[in-house]
Amino acid sequence: MASQFNLPGISRIHLVGMPGAGKTTLGRALATLYSLPFRDLDEEIVQRQGRSIPEIFETEGEDYFRQVEADTLRAVVAEHERLVLATGGGTPCFHGNAEALTQSGVAVWLDVPVEELLARLQHAAGTRPLLAALPDADALAQRLRQTLAAREQFYAKAQLRCAHPACTPETVHHMLTRFLHSA
Ligand SMILES: Nc1ncnc2c1ncn2[C@@H]1O[C@H](COP(=O)(O)OP(=O)(O)OP(=O)(O)O)[C@@H](O)[C@H]1O
Ligand SMILES: O=C(O)C1=C[C@@H](O)[C@@H](O)[C@H](O)C1
Ligand SMILES: [Mg+2]
């Protein structure tokens, strides 16, 4: 029911978390439920740069990508008063992006266990530059654990954390409602 998903006072929802956490999937669903525009930061970068993300990493390197990511984040937020934004897996960890995300909206960390990420990414890691070229599932698991350990401190800056392995729009809605009432 549309009225069930009315959230007065929240106009930007920013989803953060590891690759495969479900930011894009959940973001699209939340945007539909709240009748908010949806943007995916990775897709915005690809559109605005006219190149795929692996191509940007390969030709320009990660530092360049992180600058483009930070600039695109600020541009997308400035362009949308109301928005559900799925960020990239590394977005909060660079250029003060975590602060930008919490200051301009409510950030939600999809804190999915590594075992679940592994199951989701095993057949799709090749399209992600930082997970590509790993020899087997053990190496992928180790890379995911290391990456999460380094990133946790940035993800944890989000106002809300959904620790359920398969966070649903309804779960996030209840968290946002409680957050609104406690603010
Ligand atoms: N709640 C869920 N339960 C089970 N599978 C899910 C769930 N959410 C997403 N998935 C699956 O996990 C995979 C990754 O989802 P998605 O692309 O939404 O993640 P992401 O966080 O946007 O990843 P990336 O950081 O790579 O953009 C997809 O195959 C998707 O179908
Ligand atoms: O985890 C990461 O650092 C990344 C995740 C993707 O969403 C892309 O933003 C890019 O491949 C980098
Ligand atoms: Mg995504």
Side-chain angles (χ1 to χ4, degrees):
M1 236 162 46
S3 60
Q4 196 188 341
F5 291 96
N6 188 22
L7 271 185
I10 294 184
S11 54
R12 288 202 203 93
I13 301 168
H14 301 151
L15 302 180
V16 304
M18 288 283 283
K23 303 177 293 292
T24 301
T25 308
L26 189 70
R28 283 191 200 286
L30 281 172
T32 302
L33 290 170
Y34 289 131
S35 298
L36 289 171
F38 172 75
R39 292 291 179 273
D40 184 288
L41 188 58
D42 285 337
E43 286 171 15
E44 289 293 315
I45 292 170
V46 171
Q47 268 182 25
R48 292 170 195 230
Q49 295 293 310
R51 290 184 280 183
S52 72
I53 290 179
E55 207 178 328
I56 299 173
F57 266 78
E58 239 167 70
T59 54
E60 315 284 355
E62 181 171 357
D63 288 353
Y64 178 89
F65 173 78
R66 294 305 174 191
Q67 191 58 58
V68 167
E69 179 180 51
D71 293 346
T72 309
L73 169 64
R74 283 156 181 80
V76 171
V77 167
E79 286 162 18
H80 295 86
E81 213 164 293
R82 306 166 69 246
L83 178 67
V84 177
L85 178 69
T87 63
T91 307
C93 315
F94 298 88
H95 299 298
N97 294 342
E99 289 72 16
L101 289 164
T102 51
Q103 282 161 15
S104 59
V106 180
V108 183
W109 172 20
L110 306 183
D111 185 11
V112 173
V114 165
E115 292 65 33
E116 175 68 23
L117 296 176
L118 191 58
R120 293 184 195 174
L121 294 174
Q122 250 173 39
H123 303 293
T127 57
R128 293 163 164 90
L130 300 178
L131 300 178
L134 295 170
D136 53 30
D138 283 348
L140 177 58
Q142 198 185 346
R143 173 69 59 84
L144 288 172
R145 281 197 192 92
Q146 284 166 350
T147 305
L148 179 58
R151 289 182 173 179
E152 250 170 347
Q153 57 180 313
F154 298 100
Y155 294 148
K157 293 184 183 184
Q159 289 99 327
L160 296 172
R161 168 176 169 254
C162 185
H164 196 281
C167 202
T168 63
E170 288 75 13
T171 319
V172 175
H173 176 68
H174 288 304
M175 292 175 71
L176 286 165
T177 306
R178 275 202 307 272
F179 174 75
L180 262 182
H181 289 141
S182 69

